[in-house]
Amino acid sequence: MANRGQPEEAARLKQANAAAFEAAFGPDDHDSITALQDLAVIQELCGDFAGAEKAYQEASKRFARTGQGNTYDGFQCLNNGAWCRFLQGDSSGAKNLFVEARSRARDLFGPEHPITLDIQHRLARVLRERGQMADAEELARETLAARKQVLAPNDGRTAYTMTV
């Protein structure tokens, strides 16, 4: 529905879906957490960045509480939550979140893992927005070189980094 021009209806249905998962399986069930994460994605698509950030933060807390905070899903929540913070105009807060997430991702997954590179890409965007052009360019070049090595040649994330 979100892809067919009805994002608000998609958000309403996903909110009901997330609540049903939580009622049936509990708030710390993996599927309940990912349903909440999916709700955040739809809220972000609808432009409800504050609601999306809140849902990403809650999903991150639940992933951490259940020992899944250092998984790809856990880092996706951190990455997307920080991006929503940026989209609300808080580049300083977003920068801090991205710097911390990048450090942890590099330690856990390595510098060339796709989630590390996704975080770096967004950090470079934030740095550019903050006027830190030299740092943004350096990080974007590093991210682009790594993406060219580890991603498929036609992966759109490589092109996204080229625009930074």
Side-chain angles (χ1 to χ4, degrees):
M1 295 190 85
N3 293 331
R4 295 182 182 190
Q6 298 175 332
E8 290 81 13
E9 180 65 9
R12 187 188 66 72
L13 290 172
K14 191 58 179 173
Q15 191 164 26
N17 173 258
F21 266 98
E22 190 170 322
F25 304 110
D28 291 338
D29 176 76
H30 182 79
D31 290 334
S32 295
I33 302 169
T34 56
L36 180 60
Q37 185 178 16
D38 292 345
L39 171 62
V41 170
I42 294 171
Q43 289 172 315
E44 187 177 347
L45 179 65
C46 291
D48 180 8
F49 304 126
E53 181 184 8
K54 183 178 176 183
Y56 284 129
Q57 287 174 345
E58 180 59 29
S60 290
K61 287 178 193 175
R62 292 180 189 186
F63 277 132
R65 186 169 60 229
T66 60
Q68 301 172 73
N70 291 334
T71 64
Y72 183 85
D73 286 341
F75 274 88
Q76 278 289 43
C77 282
L78 294 175
N79 186 32
N80 291 336
W83 187 244
C84 286
R85 172 81 52 94
F86 173 71
L87 293 174
Q88 293 173 83
D90 183 3
S91 65
S92 178
K95 177 185 172 188
N96 293 338
L97 291 169
F98 282 125
V99 166
E100 193 269 327
R102 177 184 181 231
S103 176
R104 285 184 48 218
R106 287 175 68 95
D107 289 347
L108 288 165
F109 299 112
E112 295 182 344
H113 190 279
I115 191 64
T116 304
L117 299 176
D118 290 348
I119 293 166
Q120 283 183 189
H121 165 80
R122 285 183 167 171
L123 176 57
R125 294 270 315 268
V126 169
L127 293 172
R128 183 184 75 188
E129 183 72 22
R130 294 177 54 76
Q132 298 173 261
M133 299 306 208
D135 292 339
E137 183 177 358
E138 180 182 337
L139 186 57
R141 287 184 188 279
E142 175 187 331
T143 304
L144 179 61
R147 281 185 162 176
K148 285 181 175 180
Q149 287 183 342
V150 300
L151 299 177
N154 61 346
D155 192 297
R157 292 175 291 179
T158 302
Y160 295 149
T161 300
M162 293 172 100
T163 66
V164 178

Short mmCIF file of all heavy atoms in Angstrom, two decimals, residues 53-94:
data_model
loop_
_atom_site.label_atom_id
_atom_site.label_comp_id
_atom_site.label_asym_id
_atom_site.label_seq_id
_atom_site.Cartn_x
_atom_site.Cartn_y
_atom_site.Cartn_z
N GLU A 53 11.50 7.83 14.35
CA GLU A 53 12.66 7.79 15.25
C GLU A 53 12.30 7.11 16.57
O GLU A 53 13.05 6.28 17.08
CB GLU A 53 13.20 9.20 15.52
CG GLU A 53 14.41 9.18 16.43
CD GLU A 53 14.92 10.55 16.81
OE1 GLU A 53 14.27 11.57 16.50
OE2 GLU A 53 15.99 10.61 17.45
N LYS A 54 11.15 7.45 17.10
CA LYS A 54 10.70 6.85 18.36
C LYS A 54 10.55 5.33 18.21
O LYS A 54 10.97 4.56 19.09
CB LYS A 54 9.37 7.47 18.79
CG LYS A 54 8.86 6.98 20.12
CD LYS A 54 7.57 7.70 20.50
CE LYS A 54 7.01 7.13 21.78
NZ LYS A 54 5.75 7.74 22.15
N ALA A 55 9.96 4.88 17.10
CA ALA A 55 9.79 3.44 16.88
C ALA A 55 11.14 2.75 16.68
O ALA A 55 11.36 1.64 17.20
CB ALA A 55 8.87 3.20 15.68
N TYR A 56 12.05 3.39 15.93
CA TYR A 56 13.39 2.81 15.77
C TYR A 56 14.10 2.70 17.12
O TYR A 56 14.76 1.70 17.41
CB TYR A 56 14.25 3.66 14.83
CG TYR A 56 13.94 3.52 13.37
CD1 TYR A 56 13.72 4.65 12.58
CD2 TYR A 56 13.90 2.27 12.74
CE1 TYR A 56 13.45 4.54 11.23
CE2 TYR A 56 13.63 2.16 11.38
CZ TYR A 56 13.41 3.29 10.63
OH TYR A 56 13.16 3.18 9.28
N GLN A 57 13.98 3.74 17.96
CA GLN A 57 14.62 3.70 19.28
C GLN A 57 14.05 2.58 20.13
O GLN A 57 14.80 1.87 20.81
CB GLN A 57 14.44 5.05 19.98
CG GLN A 57 15.29 6.15 19.41
CD GLN A 57 14.97 7.51 20.04
OE1 GLN A 57 13.95 7.69 20.71
NE2 GLN A 57 15.85 8.46 19.82
N GLU A 58 12.75 2.42 20.11
CA GLU A 58 12.13 1.34 20.90
C GLU A 58 12.57 -0.03 20.37
O GLU A 58 12.89 -0.93 21.17
CB GLU A 58 10.60 1.45 20.88
CG GLU A 58 9.89 0.38 21.68
CD GLU A 58 10.26 0.33 23.15
OE1 GLU A 58 10.62 1.38 23.73
OE2 GLU A 58 10.18 -0.77 23.74
N ALA A 59 12.59 -0.19 19.06
CA ALA A 59 13.05 -1.46 18.49
C ALA A 59 14.51 -1.70 18.86
O ALA A 59 14.89 -2.83 19.21
CB ALA A 59 12.86 -1.46 16.98
N SER A 60 15.34 -0.66 18.83
CA SER A 60 16.75 -0.79 19.23
C SER A 60 16.87 -1.25 20.67
O SER A 60 17.69 -2.12 20.99
CB SER A 60 17.49 0.54 19.06
OG SER A 60 17.64 0.87 17.70
N LYS A 61 16.07 -0.65 21.55
CA LYS A 61 16.09 -1.05 22.97
C LYS A 61 15.71 -2.52 23.12
O LYS A 61 16.33 -3.26 23.90
CB LYS A 61 15.12 -0.19 23.78
CG LYS A 61 15.59 1.22 24.01
CD LYS A 61 14.52 1.98 24.79
CE LYS A 61 14.79 3.47 24.77
NZ LYS A 61 13.70 4.23 25.41
N ARG A 62 14.69 -2.93 22.39
CA ARG A 62 14.26 -4.33 22.48
C ARG A 62 15.30 -5.27 21.91
O ARG A 62 15.55 -6.34 22.48
CB ARG A 62 12.92 -4.51 21.77
CG ARG A 62 11.78 -3.81 22.46
CD ARG A 62 10.48 -4.03 21.71
NE ARG A 62 9.40 -3.20 22.22
CZ ARG A 62 8.16 -3.30 21.81
NH1 ARG A 62 7.82 -4.20 20.88
NH2 ARG A 62 7.22 -2.51 22.30
N PHE A 63 15.91 -4.89 20.79
CA PHE A 63 16.99 -5.73 20.25
C PHE A 63 18.12 -5.86 21.28
O PHE A 63 18.63 -6.95 21.51
CB PHE A 63 17.53 -5.16 18.94
CG PHE A 63 16.75 -5.51 17.71
CD1 PHE A 63 16.39 -4.54 16.80
CD2 PHE A 63 16.38 -6.82 17.44
CE1 PHE A 63 15.68 -4.86 15.65
CE2 PHE A 63 15.67 -7.16 16.30
CZ PHE A 63 15.32 -6.17 15.40
N ALA A 64 18.50 -4.75 21.91
CA ALA A 64 19.58 -4.78 22.90
C ALA A 64 19.18 -5.63 24.11
O ALA A 64 19.98 -6.45 24.60
CB ALA A 64 19.93 -3.36 23.34
N ARG A 65 17.97 -5.45 24.57
CA ARG A 65 17.49 -6.18 25.75
C ARG A 65 17.49 -7.70 25.52
O ARG A 65 17.67 -8.47 26.45
CB ARG A 65 16.08 -5.68 26.10
CG ARG A 65 15.52 -6.24 27.38
CD ARG A 65 14.25 -5.53 27.83
NE ARG A 65 13.17 -5.60 26.88
CZ ARG A 65 12.44 -4.55 26.47
NH1 ARG A 65 12.70 -3.34 26.93
NH2 ARG A 65 11.46 -4.71 25.62
N THR A 66 17.28 -8.12 24.28
CA THR A 66 17.21 -9.55 23.97
C THR A 66 18.52 -10.10 23.41
O THR A 66 18.55 -11.22 22.89
CB THR A 66 16.07 -9.82 22.96
OG1 THR A 66 16.33 -9.08 21.76
CG2 THR A 66 14.72 -9.43 23.54
N GLY A 67 19.58 -9.32 23.51
CA GLY A 67 20.88 -9.79 23.04
C GLY A 67 21.05 -9.70 21.53
O GLY A 67 21.97 -10.30 20.98
N GLN A 68 20.19 -8.94 20.86
CA GLN A 68 20.26 -8.81 19.40
C GLN A 68 20.70 -7.41 18.95
O GLN A 68 20.60 -7.08 17.79
CB GLN A 68 18.89 -9.12 18.80
CG GLN A 68 18.37 -10.50 19.12
CD GLN A 68 16.94 -10.65 18.65
OE1 GLN A 68 16.69 -10.75 17.45
NE2 GLN A 68 16.01 -10.66 19.59
N GLY A 69 21.18 -6.62 19.91
CA GLY A 69 21.56 -5.25 19.58
C GLY A 69 22.74 -5.17 18.64
O GLY A 69 22.86 -4.21 17.87
N ASN A 70 23.60 -6.17 18.68
CA ASN A 70 24.79 -6.15 17.82
C ASN A 70 24.60 -7.00 16.57
O ASN A 70 25.55 -7.56 16.04
CB ASN A 70 26.01 -6.63 18.62
CG ASN A 70 26.42 -5.63 19.67
OD1 ASN A 70 26.16 -4.43 19.54
ND2 ASN A 70 27.05 -6.10 20.72
N THR A 71 23.37 -7.08 16.09
CA THR A 71 23.07 -7.78 14.84
C THR A 71 22.83 -6.75 13.74
O THR A 71 22.71 -5.55 14.00
CB THR A 71 21.80 -8.64 15.00
OG1 THR A 71 20.68 -7.77 15.25
CG2 THR A 71 21.95 -9.66 16.12
N TYR A 72 22.74 -7.26 12.53
CA TYR A 72 22.45 -6.37 11.39
C TYR A 72 21.15 -5.61 11.63
O TYR A 72 21.09 -4.39 11.44
CB TYR A 72 22.38 -7.20 10.11
CG TYR A 72 22.16 -6.36 8.87
CD1 TYR A 72 23.24 -5.78 8.22
CD2 TYR A 72 20.88 -6.15 8.37
CE1 TYR A 72 23.05 -5.01 7.09
CE2 TYR A 72 20.68 -5.37 7.24
CZ TYR A 72 21.77 -4.81 6.60
OH TYR A 72 21.58 -4.04 5.49
N ASP A 73 20.11 -6.30 12.08
CA ASP A 73 18.82 -5.64 12.36
C ASP A 73 18.97 -4.56 13.42
O ASP A 73 18.40 -3.48 13.29
CB ASP A 73 17.77 -6.66 12.82
CG ASP A 73 17.25 -7.54 11.71
OD1 ASP A 73 17.39 -7.18 10.53
OD2 ASP A 73 16.68 -8.60 12.03
N GLY A 74 19.73 -4.86 14.46
CA GLY A 74 19.95 -3.87 15.51
C GLY A 74 20.63 -2.62 14.99
O GLY A 74 20.26 -1.49 15.34
N PHE A 75 21.61 -2.81 14.13
CA PHE A 75 22.32 -1.66 13.57
C PHE A 75 21.48 -0.91 12.53
O PHE A 75 21.62 0.30 12.38
CB PHE A 75 23.68 -2.07 12.99
CG PHE A 75 24.74 -2.07 14.04
CD1 PHE A 75 24.97 -3.19 14.80
CD2 PHE A 75 25.49 -0.93 14.29
CE1 PHE A 75 25.93 -3.18 15.79
CE2 PHE A 75 26.45 -0.91 15.28
CZ PHE A 75 26.68 -2.04 16.03
N GLN A 76 20.60 -1.62 11.84
CA GLN A 76 19.69 -0.93 10.93
C GLN A 76 18.81 0.05 11.69
O GLN A 76 18.55 1.16 11.23
CB GLN A 76 18.82 -1.92 10.15
CG GLN A 76 19.50 -2.52 8.96
CD GLN A 76 19.68 -1.54 7.83
OE1 GLN A 76 20.05 -0.38 8.00
NE2 GLN A 76 19.44 -2.00 6.63
N CYS A 77 18.35 -0.36 12.87
CA CYS A 77 17.54 0.54 13.70
C CYS A 77 18.35 1.77 14.11
O CYS A 77 17.84 2.90 14.05
CB CYS A 77 17.04 -0.18 14.94
SG CYS A 77 15.63 -1.24 14.65
N LEU A 78 19.58 1.56 14.53
CA LEU A 78 20.43 2.69 14.91
C LEU A 78 20.65 3.63 13.74
O LEU A 78 20.54 4.86 13.86
CB LEU A 78 21.78 2.19 15.43
CG LEU A 78 21.78 1.41 16.73
CD1 LEU A 78 23.18 0.88 17.02
CD2 LEU A 78 21.28 2.26 17.88
N ASN A 79 20.98 3.06 12.59
CA ASN A 79 21.25 3.84 11.38
C ASN A 79 20.02 4.64 10.96
O ASN A 79 20.10 5.85 10.73
CB ASN A 79 21.70 2.88 10.27
CG ASN A 79 22.14 3.58 9.01
OD1 ASN A 79 22.68 4.69 9.02
ND2 ASN A 79 21.93 2.93 7.88
N ASN A 80 18.89 3.98 10.90
CA ASN A 80 17.67 4.66 10.46
C ASN A 80 17.15 5.65 11.49
O ASN A 80 16.62 6.70 11.14
CB ASN A 80 16.60 3.63 10.09
CG ASN A 80 16.96 2.85 8.85
OD1 ASN A 80 17.73 3.31 8.01
ND2 ASN A 80 16.43 1.66 8.73
N GLY A 81 17.30 5.33 12.76
CA GLY A 81 16.90 6.26 13.81
C GLY A 81 17.72 7.54 13.77
O GLY A 81 17.19 8.65 13.90
N ALA A 82 19.03 7.40 13.58
CA ALA A 82 19.91 8.57 13.46
C ALA A 82 19.54 9.40 12.23
O ALA A 82 19.56 10.63 12.27
CB ALA A 82 21.37 8.13 13.41
N TRP A 83 19.19 8.72 11.14
CA TRP A 83 18.80 9.43 9.92
C TRP A 83 17.52 10.23 10.15
O TRP A 83 17.40 11.37 9.70
CB TRP A 83 18.65 8.45 8.77
CG TRP A 83 18.42 9.12 7.45
CD1 TRP A 83 17.31 9.04 6.67
CD2 TRP A 83 19.33 9.97 6.76
NE1 TRP A 83 17.48 9.79 5.54
CE2 TRP A 83 18.71 10.37 5.57
CE3 TRP A 83 20.61 10.44 7.03
CZ2 TRP A 83 19.32 11.22 4.65
CZ3 TRP A 83 21.23 11.28 6.12
CH2 TRP A 83 20.59 11.66 4.95
N CYS A 84 16.58 9.64 10.87
CA CYS A 84 15.34 10.38 11.19
C CYS A 84 15.65 11.59 12.06
O CYS A 84 15.02 12.64 11.90
CB CYS A 84 14.34 9.46 11.87
SG CYS A 84 13.57 8.29 10.73
N ARG A 85 16.60 11.46 12.95
CA ARG A 85 17.01 12.61 13.76
C ARG A 85 17.54 13.72 12.84
O ARG A 85 17.20 14.89 13.00
CB ARG A 85 18.08 12.15 14.76
CG ARG A 85 18.77 13.24 15.56
CD ARG A 85 17.97 13.72 16.76
NE ARG A 85 17.53 12.68 17.63
CZ ARG A 85 18.18 12.26 18.72
NH1 ARG A 85 19.31 12.81 19.08
NH2 ARG A 85 17.67 11.30 19.48
N PHE A 86 18.36 13.33 11.89
CA PHE A 86 18.90 14.30 10.92
C PHE A 86 17.77 14.95 10.12
O PHE A 86 17.77 16.17 9.92
CB PHE A 86 19.89 13.60 9.98
CG PHE A 86 20.38 14.46 8.86
CD1 PHE A 86 21.24 15.51 9.09
CD2 PHE A 86 19.96 14.20 7.56
CE1 PHE A 86 21.70 16.30 8.05
CE2 PHE A 86 20.41 14.98 6.52
CZ PHE A 86 21.28 16.04 6.75
N LEU A 87 16.81 14.16 9.67
CA LEU A 87 15.72 14.68 8.85
C LEU A 87 14.82 15.64 9.64
O LEU A 87 14.07 16.41 9.04
CB LEU A 87 14.89 13.53 8.27
CG LEU A 87 15.63 12.68 7.23
CD1 LEU A 87 14.76 11.49 6.83
CD2 LEU A 87 16.04 13.50 6.02
N GLN A 88 14.91 15.59 10.96
CA GLN A 88 14.16 16.53 11.79
C GLN A 88 14.96 17.80 12.07
O GLN A 88 14.50 18.68 12.79
CB GLN A 88 13.78 15.87 13.12
CG GLN A 88 12.79 14.74 12.96
CD GLN A 88 12.58 14.03 14.27
OE1 GLN A 88 11.80 14.48 15.10
NE2 GLN A 88 13.29 12.93 14.48
N GLY A 89 16.16 17.90 11.50
CA GLY A 89 16.96 19.11 11.64
C GLY A 89 18.00 19.08 12.73
O GLY A 89 18.67 20.09 12.97
N ASP A 90 18.19 17.95 13.39
CA ASP A 90 19.19 17.86 14.45
C ASP A 90 20.45 17.19 13.92
O ASP A 90 20.72 16.02 14.17
CB ASP A 90 18.62 17.08 15.64
CG ASP A 90 19.58 17.00 16.83
OD1 ASP A 90 20.68 17.60 16.77
OD2 ASP A 90 19.23 16.34 17.82
N SER A 91 21.24 17.95 13.15
CA SER A 91 22.45 17.37 12.56
C SER A 91 23.50 17.05 13.62
O SER A 91 24.26 16.10 13.47
CB SER A 91 23.02 18.28 11.48
OG SER A 91 23.46 19.50 12.02
N SER A 92 23.55 17.82 14.69
CA SER A 92 24.52 17.56 15.76
C SER A 92 24.20 16.24 16.46
O SER A 92 25.09 15.39 16.66
CB SER A 92 24.53 18.70 16.76
OG SER A 92 25.42 18.43 17.82
N GLY A 93 22.94 16.06 16.83
CA GLY A 93 22.54 14.80 17.46
C GLY A 93 22.73 13.62 16.54
O GLY A 93 23.18 12.54 16.96
N ALA A 94 22.38 13.80 15.26
CA ALA A 94 22.54 12.72 14.29
C ALA A 94 24.02 12.37 14.13
O ALA A 94 24.38 11.18 14.08
CB ALA A 94 21.95 13.14 12.94
#
